[in-house]
Amino acid sequence: MKLKKLAQLVALMGVVGPVVAQEAVPPSMQRVEVTGSSIKRVAKEGALPVQVITFDQIEKQGITTTEQLVRTLSANGTGADNMTSGNNVFGADADRVSGGASFASLRGLGPSSTLVLLNGRRIATHGASGKSVDLNSIPLGAISRVEILKDGASAIYGTDAIGGVINFILKTNYSGVEASVSTNDTQAGGGATRRASILAGTGSLESDRYNIMASLTVDKAERLNGSDRSFVNGYQPGRGLSPDTTGTPFANQMAGAGTALHTSFQLPGDPNKYLQANPLSFQGKCDSVAGMSQYQTELWKDVTSPLRTKYSCAYDYGADYVLQFPVERANLLSRGTFQLAPDHRMFVEVLGSRTKATAILTPMQVQATVANKNLYPVGGAYYQDLSAYIPSFDKTKPISYKWRANDVGNRTQENTTDNARVLVGFEGNFGKWDYKAGISRAESSTKTKLTDGYSYTDKLYAALATGIINPWVGAGQSQTEAAKQLIESTKFRGDFQHGKTTLTQIDGAVSGELFQLPAGALAMAAGFDLRREGYSFGQDVDAIQILLAPGNASLKDASRTVKAVYAELLVPVTKDLEMQLAIRRDDYSLVGATTNPKVAFRYQPTDFLLFRGSASKGFLAPSFQQLYSGSLSQELPNGVIDQEGCAKHPGVPEYCSIDRLDYKTGGNTNLKPETSKQGSVGFVIEPFKGYSASFDYWAINTKDRILNRTPQIVLANYQALNQYIHRNPDGTIEYVQAGWINAAGSRVRGLDVGLRGEGKIQDAKWTATLDGTYMDSFKFAEYQGQEYQELVGKFYTRDLYLRWKHNASFGVSRGDWSGLLIQSFSSGYKDQVPNGGKGTPPPGFKPDVSSYTTYNLSGTYTGFKNTTITVGIQNLFDRDPPFTAHNVDEVVGAGWDPRVADPRGRSLSFQLKYKFM
């Protein structure tokens, strides 16, 4: 068998690298005869399901970022790994050091379980969090296509790919010059994007024995505010949604020893002892200040104590969130390929990118307490006397209060991430044997500056204690110039923290025929992968001195060595049946060694029918952050309930409405690797020429899944996790120990569906596709011993596991014209129930979040010489995100959910591409 034929055969079984697959399986989907079949699409299908997306398809959809592309994949999870959700300072699993980054999460198993590759090789993970590859570092303008291997635990790339592999294939051997510009503007305003790119290359490997090419792409995304979209509204109590916070711009007074409200207060004829008060609440005028409303105690009475909220105002800070923050991005790719001899090539590849993302968060919430020494003083110009409402009010005492410090400004973080990789590789063949080898060095560094909205704690508290700053600014009022200058004098601006990941890799592989069997040649592949991974994270200033500063504890220069070898066999059992047998051994210097097998089959009994399946084991080592990050002390919002203590001491605030409960997070050196067992079985059928369908049922079982145990989870499961609740001698909670643990695991089942059709009507060609994923089950246990819970179709604070997602397209072309219609669909789910699911929701609450469907339409014209013009409309029918009543303190979004929907609304895109040569 000729070498190219063998390469094609092995590629179809999914056992060789993507560079070979690029030659073996062109994106034009031409016929390739394998084991006697000639089915146009089936011939491209192998034992493992691979979805291919070409750059032309990406451009015609109006996709401008890798994040947008990944979100169109039905196999990708519906989670908080996008940039909008990442623009977050609260939430059970908020990653406070990944501002400006976005990640992939195939099967909803998390970014760490998805392997993102560039030309089949690893690149450095995000410089700050270190958990996975930042999608912003991928040079989207330079790619040729994207291949998504939906079968996890790849024996080629690494068994840490439990969820699957996303492989970005770059353009190679390009000759000429082309430039393009594109814009995308929203109809409702805000959130516009711009892109300019140039691609140039010279030389031909066939005639000149070399090719040198370079690509530069510059992107810019503009800010989109929550106030720019009417559906961003967190105060809809009739539908079960209202803000669960009493940190308001017009401050709520709080009780406390030595303060005007004492330790509590009572009202005539009411035996209850209350803890907070606001004169606007007593007057029914909370809504006189923009964004404020009367706290809806009945909606949250079992989540936050009514003793704190009944006479308090609330603030819809979820509606203040920036839905798309400003991003500037530049990606540079340069590649030189040299023909050393007829069958041997050398290439040098240099990749560099810079992303500057300005994360804009809501203003900080400040508490004035005796302990903080920032009470509002007696005799201050704005002293607020509540004795008209509260008989026990003591105006000889200072005031404790909770204040949303809008006058300090939005917390603004400038995150700059630089990525670089240099790769030197060799590839070719000796007779019937192919080889490839490479050595690379990759780095990702992130630097964070705080540019506004952050103050030194001691300076701000001292400024508040002067009484010059007014925490009760009413409608139409503002701070005095003296107060503004005093606030400004407390601020910190400058370099804050930095992180860096490094990856040095040497890899190589050979493939070829061993000998002939009766049904054909026995092919094999073998290779090795040596990596040195490093991570460091540090603070440029003492973060403890800055109020509510983001970030993690420092981690200095951690590193580990990974050694891997793998081997595979492609065995033609009969004319119609091929088997893939593979095994991989990984040895982590800090974790240990593991050996994981994989077996797959491809059975094609007829020209129009193919059966396939696989089974494998996976292994995911803990990350540096998960293992070694230092302890970080943080606080929960007011009103947290100690379920065990409150049951023993009903009505006592120290148990039933806790002030700013402390909790600690950090690494866990006792973490075990996460392991998995997975498999798939399916078939592909082409009953008529040009029409095919694929169905692949898959299952993934994980054990010792590595998850962040949040303080909310510890408190909610105190019977099983009581050892993590540390108490004072009097029984009150001192702090909650949260952080990384090995959860019991997950059990995931689903079905991938692919439909393809193409035909011709007179001189017009048409194509139709559908790629969908049916999530049959996602069962999960938060900790060892907990019963597995079904999460599909239900609200959840990490990922939403939707029953069905698909992306469908219909394209038509005739002469110089072509058009493309895309439909994206996500099924609905059961909404979060107000009040922790206790009691009866309001009459307007609907338990189901509706499905979300959008359409994109584009047209392309190539009739002008060397010119391509594409015009598109995204979200053609201007579909708003579906309403959800989820509590904004757990997931970003007020009345909508960015895990499901795009907040930009209808937009118009325009692209102009010109080829100079």
Side-chain angles (χ1 to χ4, degrees), residues 42 171 365 373 417 444 452 543 565 588-589 694 781 843:
V42 173
K171 295 182 175 75
Q365 182 176 273
K373 300 179 181 179
T417 300
S444 177
D452 198 14
V565 293
Y588 288 77
S589 61
S694 64

Side-chain angles (χ1 to χ4, degrees), residues 47 50 133 562 661 671 778:
V50 178
V133 172
V562 184
L661 179 63
L671 286 176
F778 196 113

Side-chain angles (χ1 to χ4, degrees), residues 121 345-349 423-427 436-439:
R121 289 184 167 93
R345 296 184 299 276
M346 170 188 175
F347 63 90
V348 179
E349 188 176 280
L423 166 66
V424 178
F426 299 86
E427 57 189 18
K436 64 175 183 177
I439 180 171

Side-chain angles (χ1 to χ4, degrees), residues 271-273 305 307 641-657:
N272 292 312
K273 296 180 178 180
S305 173
L307 301 177
I641 297 175
D642 170 10
Q643 295 186 36
E644 182 180 14
C646 190
K648 297 177 181 178
H649 308 277
V652 179
E654 288 78 10
Y655 298 96
C656 303
S657 184

Side-chain angles (χ1 to χ4, degrees), residues 58 157 200 214 296 312 350-351 386 460 578 854 885:
I58 294 171
Y157 307 118
Q296 303 297 299
S312 296
V350 178
L351 173 68
L386 297 186
L460 180 61
E578 297 168 341
T854 59

Side-chain angles (χ1 to χ4, degrees), residues 244 295 299-305 639-641 656 834-837 887:
D244 180 24
Y295 188 96
L299 276 181
W300 304 110
K301 62 183 180 181
D302 293 299
V303 174
T304 302
S305 173
V640 171
I641 297 175
C656 303
N835 194 29
N887 178 13

Side-chain angles (χ1 to χ4, degrees), residues 821-871:
L821 178 66
I822 301 286
Q823 182 200 61
S824 297
F825 175 84
S826 299
S827 62
Y829 55 94
K830 293 293 182 182
D831 204 357
Q832 183 182 30
V833 182
N835 194 29
K838 300 176 181 178
T840 303
F845 173 75
K846 295 182 179 180
D848 298 304
V849 178
S850 63
S851 61
Y852 182 62
T853 307
T854 59
Y855 293 86
N856 298 342
L857 178 66
S858 68
T860 301
Y861 180 67
T862 58
F864 301 115
K865 184 178 180 181
N866 298 333
T867 303
T868 301
I869 299 173
T870 300
V871 178

Side-chain angles (χ1 to χ4, degrees), residues 26 54 75 106 151 170 248 305 395 433 464 639 655 669 722 821 856 896:
T54 67
L106 292 178
D151 179 84
L170 298 174
T248 50
S305 173
K395 56 187 177 183
W433 289 88
L464 294 174
Y655 298 96
T669 56
N722 205 39
L821 178 66
N856 298 342
W896 74 291

